[in-house]
Amino acid sequence: MLQIQENISLKPYNTFGIDVKSHFFAEIFEVEDLKALFENELTKTQKILIIGGGSNMLFTKDFDGLVIKISIKGIQANENGAQISVKAGGGVVWNDFVNYCVEHNYAGVENLSLIPGTVGASPIQNIGAYGVELKDVFESCEAFEIKTGNVKTFNFNDCHFGYRESIFKGELKGQYIITSVTFNLKTEANVNTSYGAIETELQKRGIEKPGIAEVSAAVSHIRVSKLPDPSTIGNAGSFFKNPVIEKYEFADIVAKTPDVVHYPTADGKIKLAAGWLIEQCGWKGKIQGQTGTWKNQALVLVNHGNATGSEVYSFSEQIIDSVKSTFGVTLEREVNIL
């Protein structure tokens, strides 16, 4: 049954734990609930914000509009030989989906273990970690069009995936709500252990020929050792994107800082490690008021208790200015600022 609530605290619904309120709030469990909601006159007059796990946003003030939390569940798998098509509801917790795939020996998402958020948000951000991106396993998604109330299917080419980008963050931003995602996975794993941290962890465990369960466990261990648990200390994971620069820009940096951490990209550019840049500027583990950077990973900004969104945002500005003046590189926030 669709319910619209008023003056609801959003603290339980954002992993930063920022205590702001939403004027109106509705939780959606079925696609039919979405259709009913957008037939309500309230949606014609209010600003709309869609949230899943609330893991990629920073609230700097109360939201004067309608927050819609997507909680559509369900996972269905369709096996066709070595190919597996797995469809998951937009409200499924991302790591629950990864665990489901690992338990059923469906390979492809094991490197994305423990990324916070929900399945429905994963294509929007084109989430990625340890050499794998969402687009590598994406088949299609179903999305509710706010303007018409129709559900449309988006295939891979429709989504215009880029580094932490998609059409849903670009030209179609705010026009669709992803209700389910279908993934193209495999029963015969070709595991990706190219990131050094995974290889090192597997070696520590004495594993020479890992399967997807071993890779998932290694990735989970690495993430837990580096990243804080949002249930104990508020954070949104990586706060900044890893900057991608041209080779001539990189030549200037490496001439001054030969040990700069970097990775070549498929299109001939260079990706820098934002966490490394921030750490070199002295920000790792820094505490300022109620906010700061995480002690084990400078890329993560945290809420030490009662930080406001504005406090966190101001702190991030200082980091951006510091990295710019030291390396000539402008960091871009990965989280959505509201």
Side-chain angles (χ1 to χ4, degrees), residues 65-93:
L66 169 65
V67 169
I68 302 172
K69 174 169 170 51
I70 303 302
S71 296
I72 300 170
K73 305 296 185 183
I75 302 176
Q76 297 174 310
N78 182 20
E79 301 189 20
N80 183 14
Q83 299 292 319
I84 311 294
S85 184
V86 185
K87 180 179 180 179
V92 174
V93 173

Side-chain angles (χ1 to χ4, degrees), residues 174-251:
Q175 298 181 40
Y176 287 87
I177 300 171
I178 296 176
T179 57
S180 70
V181 183
T182 301
F183 301 84
N184 185 16
L185 306 178
K186 298 178 180 179
T187 55
E188 297 176 4
N190 182 18
V191 296
N192 183 343
T193 60
S194 58
Y195 264 58
I198 299 179
E199 288 188 345
T200 300
E201 182 60 29
L202 291 171
Q203 288 172 3
K204 286 181 184 177
R205 297 173 179 227
I207 299 172
E208 295 182 2
K209 295 182 179 180
I212 62 173
E214 288 79 16
V215 171
S216 176
V219 168
S220 297
H221 177 82
I222 295 164
R223 291 187 71 91
V224 168
S225 68
K226 288 184 176 182
L227 304 175
D229 182 349
S231 67
T232 59
I233 183 166
N235 73 93
S238 299
F239 196 89
F240 301 99
K241 295 181 181 180
N242 288 321
V244 178
I245 62 175
E246 301 290 345
K247 282 187 175 179
Y248 72 87
E249 296 174 294
F250 176 69

Side-chain angles (χ1 to χ4, degrees), residues 126-203:
N126 184 25
I127 61 173
Y130 300 105
V132 174
E133 289 183 312
L134 184 282
K135 68 179 180 63
D136 300 329
V137 293
F138 179 88
E139 183 176 309
S140 65
C141 68
E142 292 179 332
F144 176 87
E145 186 175 18
I146 293 173
K147 184 178 180 180
T148 65
N150 296 327
V151 175
K152 178 180 177 180
T153 298
F154 287 81
N155 296 314
F156 180 90
N157 290 334
D158 299 325
C159 294
H160 301 175
F161 289 121
Y163 175 58
R164 302 297 176 268
E165 295 289 346
S166 73
I167 196 169
F168 302 108
K169 280 185 75 175
E171 59 192 273
L172 295 185
K173 184 175 182 179
Q175 298 181 40
Y176 287 87
I177 300 171
I178 296 176
T179 57
S180 70
V181 183
T182 301
F183 301 84
N184 185 16
L185 306 178
K186 298 178 180 179
T187 55
E188 297 176 4
N190 182 18
V191 296
N192 183 343
T193 60
S194 58
Y195 264 58
I198 299 179
E199 288 188 345
T200 300
E201 182 60 29
L202 291 171
Q203 288 172 3

Side-chain angles (χ1 to χ4, degrees), residues 20-60:
V20 295
K21 288 185 177 181
S22 177
H23 192 180
F24 296 101
F25 180 88
E27 188 166 6
I28 300 299
F29 298 96
E30 305 285 346
V31 175
E32 294 304 315
D33 291 341
L34 265 182
K35 294 180 179 179
L37 179 60
F38 280 92
E39 288 172 357
N40 190 302
E41 283 300 313
L42 186 70
T43 59
K44 311 283 193 299
T45 60
Q46 297 295 316
K47 291 186 295 183
I48 304 292
L49 175 65
I50 312 301
I51 63 173
S55 61
N56 195 45
M57 54 185 58
L58 175 67
F59 287 100
T60 60

